[in-house]
Amino acid sequence: MNKVNLAEKFSLFNEHWQPKIVGQLNGQQIKLAKLKGEFVWHSHENEDEFFMVIKGHLTIKLKNETIELDEGEFYIVPKGVEHLPIADEEAHIMMFEPKDTLNTGDVSSNRTVTELEIL
Amino acid sequence: MNKVNLAEKFSLFNEHWQPKIVGQLNGQQIKLAKLKGEFVWHSHENEDEFFMVIKGHLTIKLKNETIELDEGEFYIVPKGVEHLPIADEEAHIMMFEPKDTLNTGDVSSNRTVTELEIL
């Protein structure tokens, strides 16, 4: 494989809430996404999910807590925990999670993306 | 868990080539390390290994190729591939790999760290 430059990969797409696969290893995937606005409440029955902010600011609402992430910060949402990502302004994030993790987890919505593009 | 701020975690240690665990998910670990100088040639029989540069510059020599990584760039060394990380100046890196991956892989050396600190 070639090395991956995050800024270059982010320059290749503009859609919000549509994760792109930029790396695969050990049954896991590295994904990038641009987020803006409010997503949908959901959880992942079997997958912990890593969110790291590369640019901007991300709010992750949990049922009893709100996590505020700035650039250079990450949070791992444990499996089974309901969460709602919110980005008031456009945020660029990197995710690590098992291959085939659905972006909306246990919720089927018009936000669900089943075929992820590989960049 | 709490959110993790990479800069804050990096401020907690100074040793080179001694990865610290800063996150765990899906049988994988997120590790941070400060590198300076040349490591040892090694490979990992069963683990692909993700290296991302957070600060500085990292060279990864492979047998037939040399990868040069700047800030915001990552490379995945596939399992079985011999590699030699080199940092002419101190570099700060983030790794993502299966739990219990040894830093020196198939090579036992005075660089091998078997008990990793959790920060």
Side-chain angles (χ1 to χ4, degrees):
Chain A
M1 67 163 281
N2 297 318
K3 72 173 179 181
V4 171
N5 179 295
L6 296 187
E8 186 215 325
K9 294 295 187 191
F10 276 117
S11 77
L12 300 177
F13 67 98
N14 290 308
E15 316 93 276
H16 295 140
W17 305 107
Q18 300 200 19
K20 311 297 182 186
I21 298 166
V22 295
Q24 310 208 44
L25 71 166
N26 307 305
Q28 316 289 308
Q29 291 178 327
I30 315 288
K31 299 174 183 172
L32 300 182
K34 292 184 176 181
L35 312 184
K36 189 173 180 188
E38 187 167 310
F39 200 52
V40 289
W41 278 103
H42 68 283
S43 64
H44 302 273
E45 189 180 348
N46 298 309
E47 299 101 359
D48 307 316
E49 202 170 32
F50 169 104
F51 291 91
M52 179 166 154
V53 174
I54 303 299
K55 187 174 168 186
H57 181 89
L58 175 66
T59 299
I60 302 177
K61 283 200 178 179
L62 309 177
K63 288 297 181 182
N64 298 311
E65 193 179 1
T66 298
I67 310 295
E68 302 288 353
L69 295 180
D70 285 312
E71 292 180 24
E73 295 185 331
F74 74 76
Y75 186 75
I76 296 170
V77 179
K79 64 186 74 167
V81 171
E82 283 190 278
H83 56 284
L84 172 67
I86 302 172
D88 290 332
E89 302 296 327
E90 182 177 89
H92 296 185
I93 66 159
M94 180 168 71
M95 288 169 288
F96 292 154
E97 54 192 14
K99 187 171 173 300
D100 303 327
T101 299
L102 267 186
N103 63 331
T104 55
D106 60 342
V107 174
S108 183
S109 125
N110 59 4
R111 297 293 188 78
T112 305
V113 183
T114 53
E115 296 288 331
L116 269 61
E117 192 177 358
I118 299 176
L119 291 186
Chain B
M1 67 163 282
N2 296 319
K3 73 173 179 181
V4 171
N5 179 295
L6 297 186
E8 186 216 326
K9 295 294 187 191
F10 276 117
S11 77
L12 300 177
F13 66 100
N14 290 307
E15 316 92 276
H16 296 139
W17 306 107
Q18 299 201 20
K20 311 296 181 187
I21 298 166
V22 295
Q24 310 207 46
L25 72 166
N26 306 304
Q28 317 288 309
Q29 292 177 327
I30 313 289
K31 298 174 184 174
L32 300 182
K34 292 185 175 180
L35 312 184
K36 189 172 182 189
E38 188 168 308
F39 201 51
V40 291
W41 278 102
H42 68 283
S43 65
H44 301 272
E45 189 180 348
N46 298 309
E47 299 99 359
D48 307 316
E49 202 170 32
F50 168 102
F51 290 91
M52 177 166 157
V53 174
I54 304 299
K55 185 173 168 188
H57 181 88
L58 176 66
T59 299
I60 301 176
K61 283 201 177 177
L62 308 177
K63 288 297 182 183
N64 299 312
E65 192 180 2
T66 298
I67 311 295
E68 302 288 354
L69 295 181
D70 284 312
E71 291 180 23
E73 295 185 332
F74 74 77
Y75 186 75
I76 296 170
V77 179
K79 64 186 75 169
V81 171
E82 283 189 278
H83 56 284
L84 172 65
I86 302 172
D88 290 332
E89 303 294 329
E90 183 176 271
H92 295 185
I93 67 159
M94 182 168 71
M95 287 169 289
F96 180 46
E97 57 192 13
K99 188 172 171 300
D100 303 326
T101 299
L102 266 186
N103 63 330
T104 56
D106 60 342
V107 173
S108 184
S109 123
N110 58 3
R111 296 294 189 79
T112 305
V113 182
T114 52
E115 296 289 330
L116 269 62
E117 193 178 356
I118 300 176
L119 291 186

